[in-house]
Amino acid sequence: MTAAAVGADLVDREWSLAELALAYSYPESAGREVWLRANMVSTLDGAGQHDGRSQPISGAADMRIFGTLRALADVVLVGAETVRQEGYRPVRARAEFAAARAAAGQGQAAAVAVVSASLDLDFSVPLFTSPLVPTLVLTGAAAAPDRVAAAEQSGARVVIAGDGKGVDPARAVRALAGLGHTRLLTEGGPRLLGQFVAADVLDELCLTISPMLTAGDAQRISGGPRVAVPHRFELVSLLEEAGFLFGRYRRS
Ligand SMILES: NC(=O)c1ccc[n+]([C@@H]2O[C@H](COP(=O)([O-])OP(=O)(O)OC[C@H]3O[C@@H](n4cnc5c(N)ncnc54)[C@H](OP(=O)(O)O)[C@@H]3O)[C@@H](O)[C@H]2O)c1
């Protein structure tokens, strides 16, 4: 892996997980104030998925960084469609990160927080019934009561973060912070990420550029209504392995 961290020398060898964890550490303030980071992968021509999944456009180093970012987070926020299409499972505890998590006052693994208005989710799967840390379900106050009950019966914790059926993205971030979760990671999908962008609550984007072309009409990594004025981000670091580029961008 080659690193071109801004202001740093080039390093050309595979990075250990500890080095990756250091390279992607949350800002120190994130222990007290909320910090929302997104991790997304895109092809050269802007596709955020292939055949409904991101795995075909990912690679080994992308998966190492994906796992590292999860290991640094308090909560992984994800849209319900990604959960349905990618068959999301709970986040695993990883021995390599156990000491660092304990030192940071974090539990064994990040909780998953699923954002859904319909609550049309299969609550019988391990994501809800047997996670290490109870899965959170973020929804609106007008969500169907029978679906809320189904979520709670599975063991999930339902968090209301909107007045109607939907979730207000800024309120979702505040609600998680109110539960003590300040190191937030969102893994999309594009419809959810677009709302965090539009609400201007995204602090950081970890973007993998995959050396692939897919043409077609796949979603970009961020969708929904466009923002009036483009939000400017600055490059913090850029890593490379096997032709994949791993950029870390922070809100200017
Ligand atoms: N390239 C990448 O890095 C990456 C990352 C993640 C996913 N993906 C791909 O993206 C695709 C899925 O993404 P997507 O954009 O279609 O869907 P998504 O953002 O994962 O999920 C959309 C769903 O989330 C819920 N949701 C979103 N905003 C909400 C709000 N404000 N209030 C309440 N619920 C809300 C709704 O669920 P309900 O319908 O249940 O109400 C909505 O249908 C998959 O193909 C996946 O492979 C790619």
Side-chain angles (χ1 to χ4, degrees):
M1 182 169 280
T2 305
V6 174
D9 294 333
L10 281 179
V11 183
D12 191 4
R13 59 175 168 73
E14 184 167 317
W15 284 31
S16 67
L17 288 177
E19 285 172 315
L20 282 178
L22 193 62
Y24 281 96
S25 55
Y26 279 87
E28 216 152 292
S29 64
R32 303 177 303 276
E33 294 159 21
V34 73
W35 184 269
L36 177 60
R37 152 189 287 177
N39 181 32
M40 304 294 286
V41 56
S42 168
T43 63
L44 296 175
D45 52 351
Q49 42 105 326
H50 191 66
D51 287 342
R53 304 192 52 146
S54 50
Q55 185 272 334
I57 59 171
S58 178
D62 187 43
M63 291 317 297
R64 284 209 307 284
I65 290 173
F66 177 91
T68 302
L69 295 181
R70 284 186 157 199
L72 294 170
D74 297 339
V75 165
V76 176
L77 264 160
V78 65
E81 192 58 29
T82 296
V83 170
R84 289 188 284 258
Q85 290 205 30
E86 304 224 353
Y88 254 52
R89 296 187 57 82
V91 177
R92 308 185 275 131
R94 305 216 5 219
E96 306 94 308
F97 297 107
R101 286 191 68 86
Q106 294 173 301
Q108 290 181 70
V112 175
V114 183
V115 179
S116 174
S118 72
L119 300 184
D120 182 12
L121 292 154
D122 180 356
F123 290 114
S124 69
V125 297
L127 176 62
F128 300 105
T129 60
S130 49
L132 271 175
V133 189
T135 293
L136 304 168
V137 175
L138 271 56
T139 193
D146 60 323
R147 298 307 298 159
V148 172
E152 287 174 337
Q153 275 156 22
S154 74
R157 176 168 183 183
V158 176
V159 177
I160 302 299
D163 293 332
K165 281 195 171 171
V167 164
D168 173 329
R171 188 165 152 189
V173 170
R174 284 197 304 274
L176 290 170
L179 296 172
H181 301 308
T182 50
R183 287 162 283 222
L184 307 185
L185 170 67
T186 180
E187 295 176 348
R191 279 189 284 160
L192 182 63
L193 179 59
Q195 293 171 64
F196 287 132
V197 171
D200 202 12
V201 291
L202 187 71
D203 297 299
E204 180 181 336
L205 173 65
C206 298
L207 176 65
T208 298
I209 304 287
S210 167
M212 301 181 194
L213 292 166
T214 58
D217 56 1
Q219 290 159 291
R220 297 157 49 203
I221 61 155
S222 166
R226 70 181 179 92
V227 298
V229 179
H231 297 178
R232 181 70 196 253
F233 277 59
E234 63 192 41
L235 182 67
V236 179
S237 62
L238 186 64
L239 309 180
E240 185 276 341
E241 186 176 296
F244 285 74
L245 295 178
F246 304 95
R248 184 176 172 197
Y249 298 85
R250 191 176 291 172
R251 185 170 22 190
S252 293

